[in-house]
Structure formats: C-alpha cells, structure tokens
Amino acid sequence: MFTIQALIVLFMPLGLTEPIRYQILALNVVVGSVLGRYLYKQWYHLDFSYDDLGFELRKGKSPPVTHKWKEFSQVSLVRDERGEFVVRLHRDESRVEIPASKLKLDPFRFRSDVMNLVAKTGS
Amino acid sequence: MPEVLGRIEKAMMKGRGRWVANFDESFREYRVGDVTFDVFISGNTREKGFLISRFFSFFLNPNYEVGFFAVSAGLENEPNSRRLRKWILAVKSCMRKAEMKWAWLVLVGSTISDSFAKQVQEAVDQAVGIAYVDVDRRQVVCSENYLGRQLKRYLRIW
C-alpha cells in the first residue's frame, strides 16, 4: 500500500499533491498505526499466565501452548544474541522456553519462582 | 553467600566474562554425581554478535565449549583438600560429558585458611581455573595457572 502511494505521489504533478501533503502525512500515520497494531496483535503479542500447576503462553493469534510444571525436570536461564533472557524448561528430549524479558519479568527472580514450582509439583 | 553467588551469576550472564567466552545458559542447584554446584553457566569462546564481530569471531576465536561453576563453601560445606579434589573431579567429569575445553571453579566462602589458600594457588590443572572468594575479607585467591589469573579480573563484585 505504501509502495502504491509512493508511486502515485512520485508520478503526480507537484501542483496536485502540494496542497494536500499534510493530509497525506496524516493518512499515513493513521494507516501505519492501525496496520502496525493489527500486525502486532496478530503475530507478536504475548499472553502469559501461570499458577501453581502449570502455565499458558500464547503468541499472537496462534493457539496457546499449555504445560504443567511437573512435565519438566530442570530449569535454566538463557541469554540470547540480543541480550534478552528466556527461562528454559527441560524435559527428556525437548525443551520449552518462556521469554521472560519480552514479558517484562525480572528473569532471575522469575527463574527462581519457576524452579520452586517445578520442585514443588515434581516431588 | 547466596547473595554473592547471585551477584557473580548475574555479572557472568550479563557479559562480564565476554572477553573470554560468551556465557549464555545458567543453571542453579546443578547436580554432577553427588556434588551439587550452586551455579553452573555454560558458554562458548566464539562470541556471537552482529556482522563484523561475528565475522572476526568466526575467523579468530577458537570454538571451545566452556563452563563456569560456583559453589558455596560455607559452614556445612567447609573447604578442605578432600572437598576441593571432589569439586574438581566433578568439574572434570562434567567437562568430559559436555566436551568442554576449559572450566572455571569459584568457591564462595568466609575467611580462608592459609593452607587452603595455598592449595587453591597451587592447583595444577591447566584446563580448570580456580578461585576462592573470601566474603569476609573481600578478597579473591586464584590458582596461578592462566585460567585462574583470568578469573581474578571477572570476580570484581564489590
């Protein structure tokens, strides 16, 4: 949409676009905000909830991932290339990650909470 | 002591040791046989980064797996030569399993005896750097091998 708009503006005589350039800017800001919010909600927004038994993590509009704490045997804290922390839950062959930094949680404190929950439900 | 261990872990995970290795995964209460380390952080000597640092790291740095172990040497875990040997053997066993080339072992405790300080300084294993963090005197005693001397720089936590 922005490419089409840019082409229209580029090939239109300056006299036609000059009087409405602020309206074009305002339209772009509105369209950008609405589209950005829609895409964020669709793909990136994280919903996380947990209790003593397990947790549920949902990214965008994809189906939620649900696990019980007792499925896991070990917990670690991982720093990725961008310096963000995730809490990694290990079970036999696989692992599940909770993006602590993206969820605005204190990763070190959250990791100890998760360790306590895993220890409590595992025993 | 738990507070000091937490501070050491945070410092390493936030990149304090990046001139030696990129420490990126940290475990608490990590069991190796019958030894439990309060902190174990695994890493690699190949620093990750963006374009240029990644490029230089790929061509200049060795690709070694490394490990950082820390244990509280408090009253119920009082350090002595037998226990030090046990900790080192546990570190070595973990190194073999994870194919690590280098490891660092940090003991966090209260006032260190002269004889134990001498044992730490004289540790001969070139693949394991050892340090004792004396919480009371706020001093660090390191083994005199290359890895031990490196450790001193990264344990400035006060």
Side-chain angles (χ1 to χ4, degrees):
Chain A
M1 184 178 160
F2 290 106
T3 316
I4 295 166
Q5 210 182 96
L7 287 173
I8 292 169
V9 171
L10 191 69
F11 291 110
M12 266 189 147
L14 194 64
L16 283 175
T17 51
E18 182 66 19
I20 55 162
R21 59 186 179 152
Y22 289 113
Q23 286 86 335
I24 292 174
L25 179 67
L27 179 76
N28 279 333
V29 170
V30 171
V31 171
S33 309
V34 172
L35 199 64
R37 190 176 162 74
Y38 173 77
L39 291 177
Y40 167 75
K41 283 274 182 193
Q42 197 71 20
W43 289 331
Y44 302 108
H45 180 69
L46 289 170
D47 266 327
F48 177 68
S49 60
Y50 71 103
D51 60 15
D52 288 352
L53 295 174
F55 69 91
E56 187 181 284
L57 180 66
R58 186 189 174 122
K59 192 174 180 189
K61 295 286 176 199
S62 57
V65 177
T66 311
H67 290 284
K68 300 263 180 257
W69 298 120
K70 67 178 176 192
E71 291 170 32
F72 304 101
S73 55
Q74 208 167 28
V75 181
S76 65
L77 186 64
V78 179
R79 182 171 51 89
D80 67 15
E81 287 175 38
R82 283 166 292 173
E84 292 189 338
F85 287 96
V86 299
V87 170
R88 185 177 282 169
L89 296 144
H90 301 253
R91 55 184 169 189
D92 301 333
E93 294 288 302
S94 61
R95 48 209 193 183
V96 175
E97 290 179 348
I98 303 174
S101 294
K102 280 191 181 140
L103 291 165
K104 307 275 183 266
L105 295 164
D106 175 351
F108 292 89
R109 190 175 295 170
F110 180 62
R111 188 261 314 261
S112 24
D113 290 348
V114 171
M115 276 179 72
N116 290 336
L117 290 164
V118 169
K120 208 160 71 179
T121 52
S123 57
Chain B
M1 264 173 257
E3 195 198 317
V4 173
L5 279 164
R7 244 185 281 167
I8 291 173
E9 185 201 12
K10 226 176 228 184
M12 298 312 283
M13 283 298 282
K14 287 190 171 174
R16 174 75 62 87
R18 68 177 172 270
W19 293 109
V20 179
N22 178 33
F23 290 102
D24 56 4
E25 183 164 16
S26 163
F27 296 83
R28 294 304 290 253
E29 311 297 327
Y30 189 77
R31 281 185 74 85
V32 182
D34 60 344
V35 174
T36 303
F37 291 100
D38 292 279
V39 177
F40 163 57
I41 311 175
S42 65
N44 190 289
T45 51
R46 194 163 276 176
E47 178 69 41
K48 294 185 179 89
F50 196 58
L51 287 172
I52 295 172
S53 42
R54 189 177 279 249
F55 177 81
F56 278 108
S57 180
F58 184 81
F59 286 104
L60 299 176
N61 291 353
N63 189 16
Y64 292 168
E65 292 298 318
V66 295
F68 180 94
F69 299 80
V71 67
S72 161
L75 284 175
E76 67 277 10
N77 218 6
E78 212 172 325
N80 53 41
S81 58
R82 226 178 111 241
R83 218 163 246 154
L84 179 62
R85 197 177 141 69
K86 200 172 160 183
W87 285 326
I88 293 172
L89 285 176
V91 168
K92 297 287 282 182
S93 132
C94 192
M95 283 174 78
R96 263 195 308 275
K97 219 183 281 176
E99 294 176 356
M100 289 177 199
K101 286 269 188 185
W102 297 334
W104 289 267
L105 170 63
V106 176
L107 315 172
V108 180
S110 48
T111 311
I112 186 172
S113 68
D114 290 344
S115 63
F116 190 72
K118 207 170 167 209
Q119 282 171 33
V120 169
Q121 282 167 334
E122 287 172 356
V124 287
D125 198 319
Q126 294 301 315
V128 184
I130 304 172
Y132 186 95
V133 178
D134 186 333
V135 176
D136 293 342
R137 291 187 200 152
R138 295 190 167 196
Q139 70 174 46
V140 179
V141 178
C142 291
S143 57
E144 276 158 11
N145 55 7
Y146 176 71
L147 296 179
R149 287 197 305 272
Q150 291 271 319
L151 247 184
K152 206 163 198 169
R153 261 192 279 167
Y154 307 119
L155 290 175
R156 285 194 205 123
I157 45 169
W158 290 291

